[in-house]
């Protein structure tokens, strides 16, 4: 016969219930009521799925904006004439900027790497029976490509002489190549812009679609002098805008300030008076994007917060039901020596397991949803190329969130269970 | 010093409008190794006394020294520790966890504070089931066992932590006479061979016959405390004819 007795009065060893064992007991308890467990965690599933999806889509969008800014060059600035309001109607930009402003910026400012005047225009572009309408049809200076961080795929850009003499040469993007030339080699060929023949001297590198899916390769670049003289028939030297590249991204702010001072001086604007031009930088754009992202994040956080709150209340509710249903079990455990703490831990682990289970489902859903959504965006706007970003930190944070929700909302039911009186619990029917 | 020393222990249930005095100034000593039966009509306070002795409940007043330690002033946790380490409890309705195996049920007390490895716990639980003759039924759930077998699982569970006292509240109340006898034989053997102190509530005189000391309760008071079965029988009979 096995030795049974041992003496009283030895202190009870102070180890608590195996953690893994408690987890497996919790999983078994939940497994008995799969349907209920599933419905209970729905709130958490939706919450975590929403967070994961939004964070992933948000970082894709952010990445895309970043790419876009990068493609403009991080040291990019431009100066435009200021649009004025007259009788509440927004007027055309006043023709305040001139070619010599551009030359002065280039010559006098150390922080500036490259400058190009810009004159916009819009004319039909024809070759034989084919015609097209470029998105961007700009008269620019010889440093334009340097400023835009763009390269030629073939041929060459306009020379200084082309610009000085207003030669009829042009550089075209891929879309125009495709629409006017199909497979023929465009270099040296002639196209008609506003019925004036231009010789194609260069082809731009393909850029692909932009943020909103717009075609960035539907571009025609001409010498700005040619646009003014031949297409606009103008003898003034005003330009629509001046594009500038600062020496480095760090010098964008200095360049902005220096350009402002120089042009105010050249335009004879008294200190304190409103300028007749504006300087924009990619800095400014990224700041704006930062604000947008901030608003997105706040929105996201509140959606997540609300759905996790709802999910948490669901868990609390079902845990209270579970504690009531299992009152006898609790009584039995207490009768054989479970302390309040053991019961508390058991039910806490159960609710954490429950909500982590919801979190895991939510995360899976969220990841597939964000992959699906980026795929749909890429499908619907041909050429656009949203990166699929599955944010691992976001997933981990989401799981921790789920665990914390389970912990917080499981606490009250678990505490109730741990405070039960063993006799009452044993007697419960 | 006795193993159990009750001194003027009262238990009162306060139901708001009325107060139920379930135990009235009970004074009682039980020594190590005794085999005591508690008899008395329904409602006389037997379960209340057992729950108090078993540290499941606390006296309203009076002193309860268990092996020299005052139970009345102990914390919930301390009482849980005593139940776990030193007491074994067997109930009329078995109180097994329904959807777990016999082995899991017997292992249960070892999960709290034994500090044993899983292997050791399973081994110990298996030994206890073999001891009560259920070595072949380790994986059966309570629903797959007869009443007598379920009560033997409960006894195995109560023994798993090697308690010095075994308390049973009407352990044969739900059993037929044949299985009752099997259960009672186990108690007898535990008392005689292992020296475990046994306190058993029953209204079955056949069960009480095995005890070496019989207490008869009436209205929350110990009416008779005797070694003689006949005296206990008379005392009980007198109550019925009152
Ligand atoms: N939780 C309780 N609340 C109120 N009264 C109780 C409670 N438990 C027992 N009683 C009362 O205490 C008395 C003794 O009950 P009990 O000890 O269960 O008797 P027995 O086990 O001898 O049948 C009875 O009158 C019973 O109604
Ligand atoms: Mg009773």
């Amino acid at each position: 016969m096995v030795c049974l007795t041992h003496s009283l009065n030895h202190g009870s060893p102070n180890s608590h219930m195996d953690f893994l064992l408690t987890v497996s007991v919790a999983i078994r308890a939940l497994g008995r009521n799969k349907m209920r467990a599933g419905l209970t965690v729905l709130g958490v599933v939706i919450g975590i799925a929403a967070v994961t999806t939004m964070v992933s889509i948000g970082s894709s969008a952010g990445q895309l904006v970043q790419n876009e800014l990068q493609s403009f060059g991080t040291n990019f600035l431009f100066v435009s004439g200021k649009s004025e309001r007259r009788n509440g109607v927004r007027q055309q930009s006043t023709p305040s900027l001139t070619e010599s402003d551009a030359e002065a910026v280039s010559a006098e400012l150390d922080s500036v790497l490259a400058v190009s005047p810009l004159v916009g225009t819009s004319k039909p572009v024809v070759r034989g029976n084919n015609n097209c309408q470029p998105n961007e049809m700009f008269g620019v200076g010889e440093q334009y490509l340097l400023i835009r961080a763009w390269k030629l795929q073939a041929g060459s850009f306009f020379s200084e002489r082309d610009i000085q003499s207003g030669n009829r040469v042009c550089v075209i993007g891929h879309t125009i190549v495709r629409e006017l030339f199909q497979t023929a080699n465009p270099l040296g060929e002639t196209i008609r812009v506003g019925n004036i023949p231009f010789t194609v001297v260069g082809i731009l590198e393909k850029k692909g679609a932009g943020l909103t899916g717009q075609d960035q390769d539907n571009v025609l670049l001409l010498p700005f002098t040619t646009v003014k003289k031949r297409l606009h028939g103008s003898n003034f030297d005003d330009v629509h805008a001046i594009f500038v590249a600062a020496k480095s991204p760090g010098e964008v702010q200095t360049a902005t300030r220096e350009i402002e001072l120089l042009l105010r001086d050249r335009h004879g604007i008294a200190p304190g008076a409103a300028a007749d031009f504006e300087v924009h930088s990619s800095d400014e754009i990224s700041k704006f994007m930062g604000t947008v992202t901030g608003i997105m994040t706040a929105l996201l956080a509140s959606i997540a917060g609300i759905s996790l709150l709802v999910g948490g209340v669901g868990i609390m509710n079902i845990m209270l039901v579970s504690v009531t249903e299992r009152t006898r079990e609790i009584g039995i455990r207490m009768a054989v020596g479970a302390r309040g703490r053991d019961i508390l831990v058991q039910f806490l682990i159960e609710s954490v397991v429950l909500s982590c289970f919801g979190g895991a489902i939510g995360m899976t859903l969220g990841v597939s949803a964000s992959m699906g959504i980026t795929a749909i965006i890429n499908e619907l706007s041909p050429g656009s190329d949203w990166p699929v970003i599955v944010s691992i930190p976001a997933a981990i944070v989401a799981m921790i969130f789920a665990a914390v929700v389970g912990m917080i909302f499981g606490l009250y039911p678990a505490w109730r269970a741990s405070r039960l009186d063993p006799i009452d619990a044993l007697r419960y029917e | 010093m006795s193993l159990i020393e009750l001194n003027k222990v009262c238990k009162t249930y306060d139901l708001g409008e009325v107060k139920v005095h379930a135990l009235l100034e009970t004074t009682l000593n039980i020594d190590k190794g005794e085999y005591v039966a508690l008899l008395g009509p329904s409602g006389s306070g037997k379960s209340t006394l057992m729950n108090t002795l078993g540290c499941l409940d606390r006296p309203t007043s009076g002193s309860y020294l268990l092996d020299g330690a005052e139970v009345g002033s102990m914390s919930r946790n301390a009482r849980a520790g005593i139940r776990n380490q030193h007491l074994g409890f067997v109930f009329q309705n078995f109180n097994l966890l329904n959807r777990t195996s016999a082995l899991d049920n017997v292992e249960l007390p070892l999960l709290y504070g034994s500090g044993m490895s899983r292997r050791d716990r399973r081994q110990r639980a298996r030994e206890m089931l073999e001891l009560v003759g259920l070595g072949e039924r380790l994986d059966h759930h309570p629903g797959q066992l007869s009443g007598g077998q379920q009560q033997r699982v409960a006894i195995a569970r109560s023994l798993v932590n090697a308690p010095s006292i075994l308390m049973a509240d009407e352990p044969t109340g739900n059993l037929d006479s044949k299985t009752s006898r099997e259960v009672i034989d186990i108690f007898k053997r535990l008392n005689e061979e292992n020296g475990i102190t046994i306190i058993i509530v029953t209204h079955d005189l056949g069960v009480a016959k095995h005890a070496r000391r019989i207490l008869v309760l009436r209205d929350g008071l110990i009416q008779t405390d005797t070694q003689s079965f006949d005296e206990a029988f008379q005392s009980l009979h007198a109550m019925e004819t009152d």
Side-chain angles (χ1 to χ4, degrees):
Chain A
M1 188 150 186
V2 188
C3 170
L4 280 171
T5 45
H6 61 187
S7 77
L8 278 175
N9 274 346
H10 74 79
S12 67
N14 203 11
S15 108
H16 31 85
M17 221 168 140
D18 255 34
F19 178 75
L20 281 180
L21 185 85
T22 319
V23 171
S24 82
V25 166
I27 290 172
R28 251 190 295 163
L30 295 172
R32 277 180 209 132
N33 242 319
K34 292 187 190 66
M35 181 74 165
R36 191 166 84 181
L39 290 175
T40 302
V41 297
L42 210 54
V44 174
V45 169
I46 292 170
I48 298 293
V51 178
T52 315
T53 311
M54 306 280 268
V55 170
S56 297
I57 299 283
S59 13
S60 303
Q63 182 71 56
L64 212 54
V65 169
Q66 217 54 49
N67 290 349
E68 195 88 340
L69 291 177
Q70 217 83 50
S71 83
F72 257 93
T74 44
N75 51 354
F76 168 75
L77 300 93
F78 78 95
V79 189
S80 63
K82 193 170 205 161
S83 55
E84 283 173 19
R85 282 175 177 276
R86 225 171 281 152
N87 302 331
V89 182
R90 200 162 186 259
Q91 303 290 317
Q92 260 305 346
S93 294
T94 47
S96 57
L97 298 170
T98 64
E99 189 186 332
S100 45
D101 282 339
E103 277 160 15
V105 169
S106 172
E108 290 179 32
L109 301 183
D110 281 342
S111 55
V112 166
L113 178 70
V115 176
S116 164
L118 184 127
V119 181
T121 187
S122 179
K123 299 277 189 228
V125 179
V126 181
R127 175 179 179 259
N129 288 332
N130 300 320
N131 64 54
C132 68
Q133 188 59 54
N135 289 344
E136 284 182 15
M137 196 163 166
F138 291 149
V140 297
E142 57 180 308
Q143 293 183 311
Y144 181 75
L145 289 191
L146 178 62
I147 298 167
R148 290 290 310 270
W150 207 343
K151 290 199 180 72
L152 286 179
Q153 182 190 304
S156 56
F157 205 62
F158 329 125
S159 65
E160 204 176 330
R161 265 194 49 201
D162 286 330
I163 290 174
Q164 269 165 6
S165 359
N167 286 344
R168 292 169 319 203
V169 289
C170 66
V171 169
I172 57 180
H174 259 268
T175 306
I176 298 180
V177 173
R178 195 180 62 235
E179 297 197 350
L180 297 189
F181 294 93
Q182 282 86 39
T183 55
N185 181 7
L187 287 182
E189 295 292 317
T190 301
I191 60 174
R192 302 182 79 83
V193 181
N195 232 359
I196 297 168
F198 280 74
T199 307
V200 177
V201 296
I203 299 168
L204 291 164
E205 250 182 13
K206 197 174 166 89
K207 258 201 161 175
L211 185 58
T212 49
Q214 84 277 18
D215 181 2
Q216 299 186 102
D217 294 309
N218 196 2
V219 178
L220 176 66
L221 298 178
L222 314 155
F224 75 95
T225 45
T226 318
V227 173
K228 295 237 44 150
K229 269 186 245 163
R230 312 246 174 194
L231 294 182
H232 293 175
S234 157
N235 285 319
F236 299 106
D237 75 340
D238 62 294
V239 296
H240 292 148
I242 301 171
F243 277 31
V244 181
K247 281 231 169 79
S248 69
E251 279 175 282
V252 168
Q253 289 204 331
T254 320
T256 308
R257 216 170 31 246
E258 286 181 354
I259 292 169
E260 261 165 16
L261 284 174
L262 177 68
L263 292 185
R264 285 177 84 95
D265 186 40
R266 287 178 56 86
H267 293 192
I269 294 159
D276 57 352
F277 63 89
E278 277 171 332
V279 184
H280 311 272
S281 68
S282 48
D283 254 17
E284 189 185 334
I285 302 169
S286 35
K287 254 182 223 135
F288 172 70
M289 288 315 298
T291 317
V292 172
T293 315
I295 294 172
M296 279 268 286
T297 310
L299 208 68
L300 195 93
S302 47
I303 292 174
I306 290 170
S307 49
L308 286 178
L309 187 76
V310 172
V313 170
I315 285 182
M316 176 141 116
N317 183 34
I318 221 67
M319 288 310 294
L320 283 172
V321 171
S322 173
V323 166
T324 308
E325 280 178 353
R326 288 155 64 195
T327 301
R328 267 179 78 81
E329 175 192 329
I330 296 165
I332 292 170
R333 287 177 183 274
M334 285 178 159
V336 302
R339 288 153 299 181
R341 175 170 14 124
D342 298 315
I343 301 294
L344 184 89
V345 167
Q346 183 190 337
F347 280 89
L348 257 191
I349 287 183
E350 202 165 311
S351 89
V352 169
V353 165
L354 190 63
S355 75
C356 281
F357 163 70
I361 296 178
M363 221 171 66
T364 317
L365 275 181
V367 167
S368 0
S370 43
M371 300 213 295
I373 289 172
T374 37
I376 288 171
I377 291 176
N378 288 338
E379 188 66 31
L380 289 188
S381 56
S384 88
D385 192 17
W386 278 54
V388 175
I389 297 175
V390 174
S391 166
I392 298 296
I396 292 171
V397 168
M399 282 308 282
I400 293 175
F401 246 78
V404 168
V405 164
M407 191 89 91
I408 290 174
F409 288 91
L411 199 56
Y412 175 64
W415 178 80
R416 284 251 302 237
S418 77
R419 297 307 301 166
L420 285 175
D421 180 72
I423 299 276
D424 292 343
L426 279 174
R427 229 179 250 147
Y428 185 87
E429 283 307 327
Chain B
M1 189 184 71
S2 299
L3 183 58
I4 287 171
E5 292 183 10
L6 288 188
N7 192 16
K8 295 192 179 160
V9 162
C10 296
K11 180 72 192 179
T12 309
Y13 293 105
D14 192 346
L15 301 180
E17 285 166 29
V18 285
K19 284 193 163 75
V20 180
H21 299 282
L23 276 185
L24 292 166
E25 300 224 333
T26 304
T27 298
L28 169 70
N29 286 359
I30 297 174
D31 286 321
K32 207 166 160 53
E34 282 199 69
Y35 190 148
V36 183
L38 263 175
L39 291 174
S42 177
S44 58
K46 304 184 295 293
S47 293
T48 305
L49 180 56
M50 277 304 261
N51 292 339
T52 306
L53 291 175
C55 299
L56 283 164
D57 216 345
R58 245 201 299 213
T60 313
S61 67
S63 149
Y64 170 23
L65 292 178
L66 177 61
D67 205 32
E70 177 56 60
V71 173
S73 58
M74 275 183 194
S75 68
R76 275 168 64 96
N77 281 349
R79 276 184 286 135
I82 297 262
R83 290 197 297 272
N84 184 242
Q85 297 293 313
H86 305 304
L87 306 178
F89 235 108
V90 177
F91 302 90
Q92 178 173 359
N93 57 357
F94 323 133
N95 274 336
L96 298 173
L97 294 183
N98 275 332
R99 279 173 283 200
T100 49
S101 68
L103 195 63
D104 285 336
N105 267 289
V106 176
E107 186 192 1
L108 193 64
L110 297 177
L111 298 182
Y112 303 107
S114 77
M116 285 162 84
S117 73
R118 182 181 153 83
R119 255 187 91 236
D120 292 349
R121 291 195 309 252
R122 308 296 278 182
Q123 178 58 29
R124 173 78 182 163
R126 198 172 303 120
E127 283 168 14
M128 290 304 110
L129 279 167
E130 281 160 6
L131 182 73
V132 297
L134 287 175
E136 312 288 291
R137 297 273 194 280
L138 303 182
D139 296 324
H140 288 223
H141 288 201
Q144 301 162 330
L145 296 171
S146 73
Q149 287 169 331
Q150 288 186 58
Q151 194 59 299
R152 292 198 324 234
V153 172
I155 293 171
R157 181 181 65 189
S158 75
L159 294 175
V160 78
N161 254 331
S164 43
I165 310 174
L166 191 67
M167 303 186 178
D169 192 347
E170 312 217 17
T172 60
N174 286 1
L175 304 180
D176 60 45
S177 55
K178 182 172 164 290
T179 43
S180 288
R181 213 171 311 119
E182 286 169 15
V183 165
I184 292 309
D185 283 345
I186 295 176
F187 285 136
K188 203 167 165 200
R189 206 175 53 176
L190 288 170
N191 178 253
E192 284 168 5
E193 293 177 21
N194 300 89
I196 296 180
T197 311
I198 292 188
I199 307 170
I200 185 167
V201 169
T202 185
H203 49 228
D204 180 346
L205 291 172
V207 170
K209 220 172 202 158
H210 294 278
R212 277 179 271 130
R213 178 178 172 192
I214 299 175
L215 303 174
V216 181
L217 254 79
R218 186 186 187 183
D219 297 335
L221 273 175
I222 296 176
Q223 185 95 1
T224 314
D225 180 350
T226 175
Q227 316 262 9
S228 139
F229 176 74
D230 291 336
E231 192 184 336
F233 179 77
Q234 242 126 62
S235 161
L236 208 57
H237 189 70
M239 280 179 208
E240 275 162 22
T241 52
D242 257 2

